[in-house]
Structure formats: C-alpha cells, structure tokens
Amino acid sequence: MSGFAGVGAVSLAGCSGESSAPTDDEETSTAGSNGDDDTINVGMVYATAGLDDKAFNDMAHRGVQQARLDYDISFDYKEPELEEMSTAQRDFAESTDPNYDLICCIGFDHVEGLEQNADEFPEQRFAIVDTVVEKENVASYIFEDQEGSFQMGYLAAQLTTRDFSAGTSSVDSSEATVGFIGGTEIPPVKKFEAGYAAGVDYHDQSVEVLSEYVGDFGDIAGGKRVANRMYDEGADIIYHAAGGTGIGVFQAAQNRDRFALGVDTDQTRSNPRYSDIILASMTKRVDTAVYRSIESIVNDEYQGGSVLPLGIDEDGVETVYGSEIGGEIPQAVKSNLEETRAEIVDGEIGIPSEP
C-alpha cells in the first residue's frame, strides 16, 4: 500500500472525493525548477473539462500535488480541448528542457492520440487513467468499478427491504425494487451494472432490479424520462453510471420523493442541489491512480504495457455517504457494508464484471 493511502483518503465516513482548482501560487512546480538534474518531471494532460471540474481533473491534480509533497517531483500540466489531446501529449514528449520522465493522461478521450504518440515516442513513458492503451510504453490504470458498484447494490437492497425515510423521500418496502441506468451499453459501463446487480442479489435475490441504458452520457431529459418510469414501476433507489445523463435521474428522484446513488465523485458535493436525495456515491480515486503512476517512476517500478487494476483494496474505488442524508442511513446497514468491504478485500466475495 502506498504512503498516499493515508493522506486525504476517502472513507465510508463521507469525505468529499473532489478538490478545488489550484490557486495561483500552487498551480504547478515548474519542471526542473529546483536546479537538480535528478528531479523527476511529470507532464499532466487533463480531460476536456479542465481543472475546477469538481471531478476527475481536480482529483488527478490532487494526486500529482501529493506526489510533489512526498517525492519532491516537478510537474507541469495542460488542459486541452478534445481536438488538442494528441498535440498536448506530443508537446510534452518532444520537450528537452525538461525531459519528462512520465506523461500522465486522464480519461478515455486520450486513447486515439496516445496510440499514435506511444509509437512515435517509444522511449517516452506514458500512463493513462480509466482506460487501456495496449502499448509497451503505456501503463494503464483502470478502476474495478464492479467492486464499488457491488457496495451500491448491497446498500440499495438493504434499504428497499426495510422502512426507511430521509429528508422528504422514503422507500416502499412492499415493492422491494431498485433501478440501474447506464449511459451507453458498452463493456466499461456494464461492469457497473454487473456489480450493482450482484450486490442486490447478495442481500436478497427477491429484490427486483430494473436496468436500462439511455444511449448517451449527456442526455439529461432522457435520464429523467427513464428514471421517472422506473420510479413509477416501484423503484425506491436508482444507481446511475451515465455521466451528465445522471442529472436527470436526480431530478426525477426529487420529483418522486425517492432516492438516487451517485458515481465517480461525491455527487452531493459536486451537485449539491440534489444532496437531499443522494444517499451515497461510488467514487473513483483518480488521485490514487495518478499518485501510484508517479510513485512507480520514483521507485523505478514503472510497468509499461501493463493493465493495473485499482479496486477497493488499492483505494481505487470507495463508498462515500451523502453529505446531507447519508447520516440517516441506519448504522446496521453501514456495518454490513464494512463487512462486505473486508470480504471483497480478502477475496471472499467474487464479483462479476459482466451482467
């Protein structure tokens, strides 16, 4: 376990999974600024939303900042638009003052450019977070989304089968139904569905799971439409893995006085207007992925060509209870989640990655 695990780690207590954008005096440590030729230089290329996204990029930035504190590395970063991804990677790879020991790319939008640049710069070490690029000089860090989603399903199943209310919302335990809404039906998203359904079944196989894909990650109206239908069909709680489409799920939950579960970040903090219906979020520790990629360079343990999974045991995914109503979840339910967490880490619970 890296030293980062104990620094700002998200826990079941409900800490935020996000960071704010850097201030002017902490934006970056200019590469090679300390005059030491042995300084490790890192180039960060963020996803299209840029910094201050309250999500992936801010968490990634927190990871590199922590690495700077722990290892005295130097870093610079770019915030490209989609069409600039490949150029941003190339700029770092071509640099000679300084030479970058690692170029870390955040998100799946980097795949096309990185597949080309990895070939063109075979001596350059790259890392990519949350997707895979099969090149010998690329280390791919992916999240075991099915593990975190299992916990979401187990949480939802426990609550739908008991009398529970929080804020203005409540469950109808006589229905014992929950929902899952995905963006597009692709393998990475199906991992969320598979884990969620497995978590529901782990508690009670009689609980019905309604599943549907909207077909888009930015269709708020579509997410709301599908969620409204699921709530009308008896769903008490809906978990989404649908990006911006999930905002529609939250809107529907408020309209129906039901509950929802967030994803990727603590969505009660990134989307506080919906904190009254979000019970918890399954967070991806992008900061952990970035930190570990840099740590591998520091320790001369870089694993180019490898796919490096980050699950619960590696602080890659975690459950974060909602800032407003998470405290209303019964302690017995939380204790059960702590037990399954330990069992997942110990390998006692096997979780499918396909529905």
Side-chain angles (χ1 to χ4, degrees):
M1 194 71 69
S2 76
F4 181 62
V7 184
V10 176
S11 71
L12 292 174
C15 300
S16 171
E18 65 198 46
S19 67
S20 59
T23 59
D24 290 340
D25 61 351
E26 65 176 359
E27 276 193 354
T28 180
S29 172
T30 304
S33 62
N34 62 8
D36 185 350
D37 290 340
D38 293 331
T39 298
I40 288 175
N41 299 296
V42 177
M44 298 292 300
V45 190
Y46 292 121
T48 52
L51 291 173
D52 202 26
D53 65 347
K54 306 294 191 295
F56 263 42
N57 289 322
D58 284 355
M59 293 181 74
H61 200 70
R62 185 172 69 180
V64 71
Q65 287 178 313
Q66 187 64 51
R68 179 180 63 181
L69 290 174
D70 289 352
Y71 295 117
D72 196 28
I73 62 104
S74 218
F75 75 92
D76 201 350
Y77 64 83
K78 296 181 183 295
E79 302 173 77
E81 298 296 327
L82 181 60
E83 64 276 9
E84 300 169 333
M85 290 288 184
S86 179
T87 301
Q89 298 166 15
R90 177 184 294 274
D91 287 345
F92 280 135
E94 290 179 337
S95 173
T96 57
D97 185 19
N99 290 309
Y100 285 93
D101 299 280
L102 179 70
I103 299 171
C104 190
C105 306
I106 308 302
F108 60 85
D109 285 337
H110 283 280
V111 169
E112 183 177 355
L114 188 51
E115 286 178 339
Q116 297 174 359
N117 286 324
D119 286 339
E120 187 164 345
F121 301 94
E123 301 304 314
Q124 174 67 60
R125 292 176 292 190
F126 295 93
I128 191 164
V129 176
D130 203 29
T131 190
V132 174
V133 171
E134 296 180 348
K135 299 292 182 180
E136 289 302 312
N137 56 334
V138 179
S140 301
Y141 290 82
I142 63 170
F143 299 99
E144 299 283 34
D145 300 312
Q146 70 273 18
E147 292 185 0
S149 297
F150 178 95
Q151 293 289 79
M152 292 290 98
Y154 188 41
L155 170 62
Q158 290 184 80
L159 294 179
T160 193
T161 52
R162 65 170 65 206
D163 291 329
F164 174 74
S165 61
T168 61
S169 300
S170 61
V171 306
D172 181 357
S173 58
S174 66
E175 295 282 353
T177 301
V178 298
F180 170 81
I181 294 178
T184 59
E185 195 169 357
I186 55 177
V189 180
K190 292 172 78 170
K191 287 169 62 177
F192 290 84
E193 180 187 5
Y196 184 67
V200 172
D201 284 351
Y202 187 83
H203 176 69
D204 188 341
Q205 293 185 3
S206 69
V207 174
E208 183 178 6
V209 181
L210 306 175
S211 295
E212 188 167 339
Y213 289 80
V214 177
D216 196 290
F217 288 102
D219 184 358
I220 294 176
K224 185 175 183 179
R225 181 178 63 255
V226 173
N228 275 328
R229 184 166 65 248
M230 285 187 177
Y231 288 126
D232 289 342
E233 293 174 3
D236 293 309
I237 304 162
I238 295 176
Y239 175 48
H240 86 88
T245 298
I247 299 299
V249 177
F250 299 155
Q251 293 174 351
Q254 286 183 328
N255 291 342
R256 294 293 194 274
D257 290 329
R258 293 304 193 205
F259 297 106
L261 297 166
V263 76
D264 290 345
T265 65
D266 178 358
Q267 293 204 279
T268 62
R269 299 188 183 277
S270 58
N271 297 277
R273 73 183 68 179
Y274 305 112
S275 61
D276 60 330
I277 52 85
I278 300 175
L279 293 164
S281 298
M282 194 285 281
T283 64
K284 290 186 178 185
R285 295 297 305 276
V286 182
D287 47 352
T288 296
V290 169
Y291 186 92
R292 289 190 176 215
S293 72
I294 298 169
E295 188 175 54
S296 75
I297 302 295
V298 172
N299 294 333
D300 197 23
E301 297 174 347
Y302 175 73
Q303 294 177 269
S306 298
V307 177
L308 305 164
L310 298 173
I312 286 177
D313 191 26
E314 297 82 14
D315 297 312
V317 295
E318 191 59 278
T319 297
V320 177
Y321 293 121
S323 60
E324 185 170 340
I325 61 173
E328 301 300 313
I329 298 172
Q331 184 56 48
V333 172
K334 294 180 178 180
S335 296
N336 288 338
L337 282 166
E338 291 280 11
E339 291 179 7
T340 52
R341 185 188 191 283
E343 290 169 351
I344 292 170
V345 169
D346 291 341
E348 297 174 14
I349 296 177
I351 304 171
S353 58
E354 296 182 1

